[in-house]
Amino acid sequence: MEVLLDRYGTTYAAEAGIRLRNTPQPLYQLLVLSDLLSARIRASVAVSAARALFAHGMRSPHRMAAATWQQRVDALGEGGYRRYDERTATQLGEGAQLLLDDYGDDLRRLREAADGDLDALRAGLRRTPGIGPAGADIFVREVQAVWPEVAPFVDGKALQGAERLGLPASPAKLAELAELAEPTDGHGVAVLAAALVRAALDKHIVDDVRAQA
């Protein structure tokens, strides 16, 4: 477990340069990243595309909605996200407008509406164009670092990584194995879950961790 966390325990939000806090802008950036990561494309490309969008100023719903469709396409292409760039550019614009209209650009209002109900939170997220079940789970998996009421959350892809490493398929037990002070410590579980996802996506990581065990 120590090798897994030391070498691969970086959340995807952190990799994308998002300083995740319970404030509107980083929460929106995580939603964008979750959209990109949920497509059938390499995670590294999704992260690069998110970084490109943010570098071009599309860091908030206002700025995303104000950008032209072509500007979004160009930023996605710059990040290597070419297979889905046109559809995703449309979804990002529509999603930004929905967030502005329904939540006043603040995803904390969705959190308040869900009131600790994980199913309600995921259903609310899935109203966003481009966010399906996988995207909603990615968002929850990462946001538990700042929304502890949803922790411990370990999605299907992370559980797949746990299975490959011979670890328990229980979020609570995985949290305990990470030697967290509390099994519901959202930040620790988010880091562990990200490492497990990396293991699910890359057999070399599994081999590396097992070799060091």
Side-chain angles (χ1 to χ4, degrees):
M1 182 66 73
E2 183 177 349
V3 173
L4 176 67
L5 293 175
D6 285 349
R7 296 190 180 186
Y8 307 108
T10 300
T11 64
Y12 285 94
E15 187 180 347
I18 301 169
R19 299 181 63 180
L20 192 57
R21 299 185 302 277
N22 186 34
T23 54
Q25 186 162 295
L27 291 172
Y28 173 68
Q29 291 169 9
L30 177 59
L31 187 68
V32 170
L33 177 63
S34 300
D35 181 348
L36 300 177
L37 283 169
S38 65
R40 294 181 180 274
I41 200 163
R42 291 196 311 276
S44 59
V45 173
V47 169
S48 178
R51 281 183 167 275
L53 286 166
F54 304 153
H56 283 277
M58 289 169 258
R59 294 183 292 269
S60 70
H62 288 285
R63 296 294 296 274
M64 185 68 77
T68 66
W69 178 82
Q70 190 61 54
Q71 286 172 328
R72 294 193 291 268
V73 169
D74 290 346
L76 289 166
E78 182 180 310
Y81 205 89
R82 296 185 179 87
R83 183 177 177 185
Y84 304 104
D85 55 353
E86 295 186 358
R87 182 183 69 183
T88 301
T90 299
Q91 291 172 339
L92 289 172
E94 293 174 347
Q97 193 59 56
L98 182 144
L99 185 54
L100 289 168
D101 292 343
D102 290 6
Y103 300 111
D105 92 346
D106 191 346
L107 280 166
R108 293 176 299 181
R109 295 183 180 178
L110 172 58
R111 180 190 188 186
E112 292 170 4
D115 193 25
D117 184 329
L118 182 57
D119 289 338
L121 176 60
R122 285 191 285 188
L125 290 166
R126 289 197 301 270
R127 294 184 58 244
T128 306
I131 298 290
D137 282 356
I138 292 167
F139 182 90
V140 175
R141 187 183 75 215
E142 297 260 330
V143 85
Q144 66 184 319
V146 293
W147 290 359
E149 72 273 13
V150 302
F153 181 82
V154 183
D155 63 351
K157 185 61 72 175
L159 290 175
Q160 182 183 349
E163 182 179 357
R164 287 190 173 188
L165 291 165
L167 298 174
S170 161
K173 289 182 179 179
L174 287 169
E176 291 169 1
L177 280 177
E179 297 181 350
L180 301 174
E182 304 233 356
T184 55
D185 176 9
H187 181 267
V189 181
V191 169
L192 172 59
L196 292 174
V197 169
R198 295 176 195 280
L201 296 174
D202 189 343
K203 184 179 181 297
H204 293 97
I205 292 176
V206 176
D207 294 340
D208 181 39
V209 172
R210 285 183 168 173
Q212 302 300 321

